[in-house]
Amino acid sequence: MVAEITQVKSPPAISSNRHYVSNRPPLAPSPLVKLPIGSIQPKGWLLTQLQLMKEGLTGRLPELSRFLREDSGWITLKGPGWEEMPYWLKGYADLGYILGSPEIVATSKKWLDLAFRSQQGDGFFGPPDNRKKRDLWPNMLVLSCLQSLYEATGDTRVIPFLTRYFRFEHGLPESDLLPESWQKLRGGENLESVYWLYNRTGEPFLLELAGRIYKRTADWETDIVNPEKDRNWELSGTYHGVNITMGIRYPAVYYQQTGDRKLLDAVEKNYGLVMDQYGRQPGGMFGADENIRPGHGDPRQGAETCSMVEFMNSHEALLKITGETRYADRCEEIAFNSFPAAMTPDLRALHYLTAPNLISCDSTGEHDFQNGGTLVSYDPWAYRCCQHNVAFGWPYFAEHLWLATSDNGLAAALYAPSEVTAKVAGGTQVRIIEDTGYPFADHIDFTVLTSAAVRFPLYLRIPDWAGEAAISIQGKNLSDKLQAGGYAVIQREWRDGDRIRLSFFPKITVRTWEKPGPSVSVRRGPLWYSLKIGEEWKRYGGTDTWPAYEILPTTPWNYGLLLDPGDPEAAIQIADRRPPAGQPFTPEAAPMVLKARARRLPSWKADGKMVGKIPDGLVFSAEPDMDVRLIPMGCARLRIASFPRVAGKSSEGGRAAPGG
Ligand SMILES: [Zn+2]
């Protein structure tokens, strides 16, 4: 390998970045550090998502949500006011800072000014009902909003306000600090904010408070989703999907204070436990249609939209704490494959549950989900928590594309078209333009802009799925094939206009899930593929401005893939590809279309409005062979992304299914 490129698992965690607030001792040094909001400008398809959010549900939510009206406890400071307003504000305000939207920034400030004004003598703030109920959960969300406000605008009220609030928490008797339920299960959010302030003020009482908060938070170290061992089962009586996507990272958050690597291991162990039982499906999520339910691990079980944005947020946090690229891979998998389909392409409506196998987004409730009523139709008026919480998915993703490294360089951690402006080395400001159609394109072009030549390390993530990758500078190939995982680090003196190309050579691969099934899923690079199903959009409610839609199938969905077990990829080819449009996440705009050999499976039938469970075993079908089209699952609102494997001949050992 040429000397100026090396490969590492993570940036070194031995010192602090000189320009951006990093962990302050004794907290474990941060390998990767978030840049202040505004340093990263999304472009291309990602910018389109943010612009659609502004014109769509997030930007105009006050027209729809009863929790954002004048009688909100966050305005009156009298009645109740719970998680909804701050859920929304957390994404809405960040959206405004990233887009530089004066209207959004002004509206956010109005809400935050009220939070400042509500602070009482002892430091508590927010609607008094929360105090009566000893419920600190909604305030945890406001803490995140205030951190963003400070990072984006430098508002001088934030630091003293947070200091007073944490003194209030520090003074609470133990029994009043996270006494029960949601706040106890979600205490790690509060913990992160305490560290955020400690890194800026260094006040020792904050570390003492952090220790108490972690101790009073539910146990996320012991095995989860295991009724014999999971102590959170006793606490709430459920394996709540959203709580798992949040809580799973908390031991790693506390690791920063103790340095005990067992806490990092606990995160991986619990991720494995959940995904092995309920996440045998493409798209980075696990089935929890409100709660995880034993026996409901089929890819037809949905994941809540809140779970997607929270899981992405957890992976972003774990990426910063550990520096390890697997968390970026997991975040991208959700962002590109599961999250876009949770919303309509115009980002004006969403639904509660999205599943890899979902053949009807109707409003009948004829689905085997834990909750009743409509959960899969796209309705801008419904789905109380998700309607607000969806707002922070794309903005937080955009804020983590680029991170500062402990050795005063920069890391391209998540990939999307963007531009970053940041200080490197001794303080030289550089700009790097990232020009790409990724995740739909196979290469990423970077251009370095700098007023003076400057030496700093540039870290480029090599995803786990990348069997090989290559880097060229000024068109000259600089590396042998790079290994998947970790980062390629380029150490050199960078000059204005230097051009780098990172190329991937993704192959179409087939993943077999032994249970349920066996089923198979098709992947190419960062994207999973699903059967293209005709969509009929049928309005069933809402208003003319904010309609609610069912999406119903107009073409068959019950196909199995015909694959040669010795060479499963041979039966799948690229049928069509083009550069991504502004909004690539629609069936028509799909930038890549694959074709695969398949047969109908007449025995695989709908179960109510829901897709039938994946048949158990290899299935024989006497139907004719045909080609089917596969599109990225993020483009598909109706989808089959986990297919049964079909045997072409009964002699292959296929089971003749009843009626098949
Ligand atoms: Zn939700």
Side-chain angles (χ1 to χ4, degrees), residues 30 46 102 115 147-148 195 267 276 431 458 460 504 539 550 575:
S30 328
L46 182 55
Q147 290 161 215
S148 287
Y195 291 147
V267 173
D276 284 351
R431 209 147 63 87
L458 178 64
L460 303 179
F504 303 119
R539 178 165 167 202
E550 296 184 307

Side-chain angles (χ1 to χ4, degrees), residues 424 428-431 448-454 456 494-497:
V424 294
T428 306
Q429 183 164 291
V430 297
R431 209 147 63 87
V448 179
L449 300 171
T450 175
S451 54
V454 57
F456 68 92
W494 296 99
R495 291 165 192 279
D496 192 44

Side-chain angles (χ1 to χ4, degrees), residues 49-258:
Q49 307 311 306
L50 300 180
Q51 287 165 335
L52 288 169
M53 283 178 71
K54 176 171 180 262
E55 305 306 324
L57 188 69
T58 294
R60 293 172 60 180
L61 197 58
E63 295 174 34
L64 292 140
S65 165
R66 67 189 161 93
F67 300 98
L68 303 180
R69 306 230 166 102
E70 292 299 312
D71 62 354
S72 160
W74 292 100
I75 293 185
T76 62
L77 303 178
K78 286 190 187 111
W82 199 49
E83 66 182 11
E84 293 82 6
M85 189 291 289
Y87 259 160
W88 165 71
L89 194 59
K90 196 172 146 189
Y92 174 79
D94 281 40
L95 176 68
Y97 306 138
I98 295 170
L99 290 178
S101 160
E103 311 94 274
I104 295 183
V105 172
T107 307
S108 310
K109 185 169 175 296
K110 247 174 31 198
W111 287 96
L112 289 171
D113 282 349
L114 286 159
F116 281 118
R117 202 182 308 157
S118 73
Q119 192 163 45
Q120 296 166 16
D122 63 0
F124 183 83
F125 72 93
D129 261 33
N130 295 334
R131 178 164 208 159
K132 264 185 242 146
K133 292 178 185 149
R134 301 184 302 161
D135 186 1
L136 303 177
W137 157 240
N139 280 357
M140 295 182 203
L141 298 167
V142 179
L143 302 177
S144 297
C145 299
L146 293 170
Q147 290 161 215
S148 287
L149 176 71
Y150 184 79
E151 289 179 23
T153 71
D155 193 309
T156 54
R157 294 171 296 177
V158 173
I159 300 290
F161 179 92
L162 292 184
T163 304
R164 286 192 294 272
Y165 181 65
F166 291 141
R167 285 211 183 278
F168 157 79
E169 285 191 335
H170 189 245
L172 284 174
E174 184 158 301
S175 56
D176 283 353
L177 184 67
L178 312 178
E180 59 191 4
S181 69
W182 257 206
Q183 57 176 316
K184 191 165 203 61
L185 288 153
R186 299 177 173 185
E189 311 294 313
N190 202 146
L191 181 63
E192 276 181 340
S193 295
V194 172
Y195 291 147
W196 184 92
L197 185 64
Y198 175 74
N199 286 335
R200 282 155 182 83
T201 67
E203 292 200 62
F205 90 91
L206 291 167
L207 292 185
E208 203 183 299
L209 172 63
R212 287 178 57 195
I213 288 175
Y214 187 71
K215 200 171 126 220
R216 294 286 297 162
T217 297
D219 172 12
W220 289 100
E221 294 175 32
T222 310
D223 292 9
I224 60 171
V225 296
N226 176 345
E228 271 136 51
K229 288 197 188 165
D230 188 342
R231 288 165 54 193
N232 294 341
W233 175 263
E234 286 166 34
L235 188 65
S236 63
T238 58
Y239 302 128
H240 188 259
V242 182
N243 288 343
I244 289 172
T245 58
M246 299 166 78
I248 205 159
R249 78 175 186 282
Y250 297 163
V253 176
Y254 190 53
Y255 151 82
Q256 297 177 100
Q257 187 166 350
T258 67

Side-chain angles (χ1 to χ4, degrees), residues 238-478:
T238 58
Y239 302 128
H240 188 259
V242 182
N243 288 343
I244 289 172
T245 58
M246 299 166 78
I248 205 159
R249 78 175 186 282
Y250 297 163
V253 176
Y254 190 53
Y255 151 82
Q256 297 177 100
Q257 187 166 350
T258 67
D260 179 357
R261 297 194 66 86
K262 281 209 244 18
L263 295 168
L264 300 180
D265 298 341
V267 173
E268 277 310 292
K269 176 200 64 182
N270 278 334
Y271 180 80
L273 283 173
V274 174
M275 298 308 280
D276 284 351
Q277 294 174 74
Y278 299 94
R280 294 185 192 116
Q281 50 180 266
M285 294 303 300
F286 55 92
D289 41 48
E290 195 63 34
N291 297 297
I292 272 177
R293 291 183 293 154
H296 291 73
D298 193 271
R300 69 185 196 159
Q301 302 306 139
E304 189 183 329
T305 304
C306 282
S307 295
M308 296 182 194
V309 292
E310 295 292 353
F311 223 6
M312 283 164 61
N313 179 51
S314 283
H315 296 322
E316 286 153 6
L318 291 165
L319 169 67
K320 287 179 286 187
I321 293 167
T322 66
E324 291 179 20
T325 52
R326 61 178 146 192
Y327 298 109
D329 294 336
R330 291 173 190 171
C331 181
E332 282 192 354
E333 187 179 358
I334 300 166
F336 301 150
N337 295 285
S338 293
F339 185 47
M343 299 165 282
T344 53
D346 59 8
L347 273 62
R348 290 172 66 86
L350 82 170
H351 62 184
Y352 197 69
L353 297 176
T354 307
N357 284 0
L358 181 61
I359 56 163
S360 171
C361 292
D362 58 90
S363 60
T364 64
E366 292 169 30
H367 296 254
D368 177 18
F369 294 134
Q370 191 173 32
N371 287 324
T374 184
L375 295 163
V376 289
S377 64
Y378 290 88
D379 188 339
W381 299 86
Y383 314 125
R384 177 171 165 174
C385 50
C386 304
Q387 187 196 32
H388 300 82
N389 200 15
V390 68
F392 88 115
W394 285 130
Y396 272 45
F397 180 81
E399 289 167 21
H400 289 84
L401 296 175
W402 291 88
L403 295 164
T405 59
S406 50
D407 50 359
N408 305 311
L410 284 171
L414 301 168
Y415 291 124
S418 61
E419 184 177 318
V420 63
T421 305
K423 284 186 183 159
V424 294
T428 306
Q429 183 164 291
V430 297
R431 209 147 63 87
I432 303 180
I433 297 166
E434 179 177 347
D435 186 12
T436 183
Y438 187 94
F440 304 102
D442 299 337
H443 64 264
I444 304 172
D445 287 319
F446 301 93
T447 307
V448 179
L449 300 171
T450 175
S451 54
V454 57
R455 188 177 182 83
F456 68 92
L458 178 64
Y459 289 74
L460 303 179
R461 172 180 140 250
I462 310 297
D464 270 346
W465 52 258
E468 46 192 32
I471 290 175
S472 66
I473 299 186
Q474 322 293 48
K476 192 171 148 248
N477 193 31
L478 261 204

